[in-house]
Amino acid sequence: ESDKASMLEVTKNIWDGNDYLPYVWDEWLADTEGELCVAEIGDRMVGLGKLSHLGWGNWWMEGMRVQPEYQGRGISSQLHEYLHNFWLEHGNGFVRLTTSSKRLPIHHLCERFGFSKINERSFFVASLLLDNTAEALPFQLLTSPELPDALDFLQNSPTLRFSCGLIDLGWRYAVPRLEYLQKLLDDGRLWWWQERKGLLGFWEDDDED
């Protein structure tokens, strides 16, 4: 807990000061299934990284940060190696991560540890189009008894192959599981579209824009 101030210093300029780590730090500290680690030089935190357990067989590396003035000294490599070795000892299934297509040093680091690139993603933003003549929106909230049907629909969707069989859990990606859909349902964020012709779920975005 005493590292929080240092974490805020490390992340203050990430994404123009909009890094998500300050919002999940306490949650990460309380995580008993994953691993949160920091790199220090003397008494100063200069980097950090997180390994999260998303469910059986699904592990995720995230939150890799290094102070700009200490980049290029191999700190990311040491953090990555530590978390990778933790997964080898305690994990199962697959460990994955995402990074920008421009961060070539991270690409080379992942290749050195045996990771394989499986997918590229682009993000687009558009205004919501509504049919003002329709009597009701073409979406219906799911009910708990429908969850197995929703999972079956998702697993057999032809669009799933475009993401290598993984679904978006909010900047994390994993093989579809009932527990992920249950979380969306509990939050009121899972709908059928046009009488089960489609399935829509979304994770909360704190960006009001």
Side-chain angles (χ1 to χ4, degrees):
E1 294 181 0
S2 61
D3 284 324
K4 187 169 186 176
S6 297
M7 177 273 298
L8 293 173
E9 178 67 22
V10 171
T11 60
K12 69 179 182 180
N13 294 318
I14 302 294
W15 296 325
D16 297 323
N18 295 310
D19 200 343
Y20 72 96
L21 265 63
Y23 302 100
V24 298
W25 183 255
D26 293 337
E27 176 186 334
W28 283 5
L29 284 175
D31 181 9
T32 59
E33 294 187 321
E35 183 79 348
L36 174 61
C37 65
V38 301
E40 296 180 337
I41 294 180
D43 295 329
R44 182 184 182 189
M45 180 204 291
V46 296
L48 64 136
K50 176 71 165 62
L51 177 70
S52 298
H53 186 205
L54 306 183
W56 195 95
N58 289 309
W59 295 77
W60 192 256
M61 280 192 186
E62 58 186 329
M64 187 76 72
R65 306 284 188 269
V66 175
Q67 280 279 29
E69 62 266 38
Y70 289 96
Q71 292 177 5
R73 301 190 186 187
I75 295 174
S76 291
S77 297
Q78 293 184 56
L79 289 167
H80 185 99
E81 181 176 7
Y82 174 82
L83 293 175
H84 183 258
N85 289 339
F86 182 93
W87 173 76
L88 288 174
E89 182 176 354
H90 303 282
N92 50 39
F94 293 88
V95 59
R96 303 180 177 94
L97 59 87
T98 60
T99 189
S100 168
S101 59
K102 299 178 181 179
R103 299 191 65 189
L104 296 182
I106 299 298
H107 295 200
H108 299 324
L109 174 64
C110 290
E111 291 171 359
R112 181 154 58 87
F113 280 87
F115 284 68
S116 298
K117 179 180 177 180
I118 63 171
N119 200 244
E120 288 190 12
R121 288 176 176 251
S122 297
F123 293 89
F124 301 89
V125 177
S127 299
L128 180 63
L129 298 179
L130 295 177
D131 182 359
N132 293 327
T133 65
E135 294 183 1
L137 291 176
F139 299 99
Q140 302 86 36
L141 278 171
L142 267 77
T143 62
S144 292
E146 295 177 300
L147 277 180
D149 292 340
L151 180 62
D152 183 68
F153 179 93
L154 180 59
Q155 291 173 330
N156 290 286
S157 170
T159 60
L160 193 63
R161 64 183 178 88
F162 294 121
S163 60
C164 298
L166 306 176
I167 59 173
D168 184 354
L169 303 180
W171 295 103
R172 299 166 165 181
Y173 299 88
V175 175
R177 292 176 60 89
L178 198 62
E179 62 195 82
Y180 306 145
L181 298 184
Q182 182 67 62
K183 177 64 167 63
L184 289 174
L185 180 65
D186 292 343
D187 293 341
R189 299 175 183 273
L190 190 62
W191 295 270
W192 288 117
W193 175 70
Q194 291 191 348
E195 303 294 334
R196 299 196 177 196
K197 292 181 180 179
L199 185 68
L200 174 66
F202 73 93
W203 297 87
E204 183 174 4
D205 187 350
D206 292 328
D207 186 350
E208 294 183 356
D209 295 334

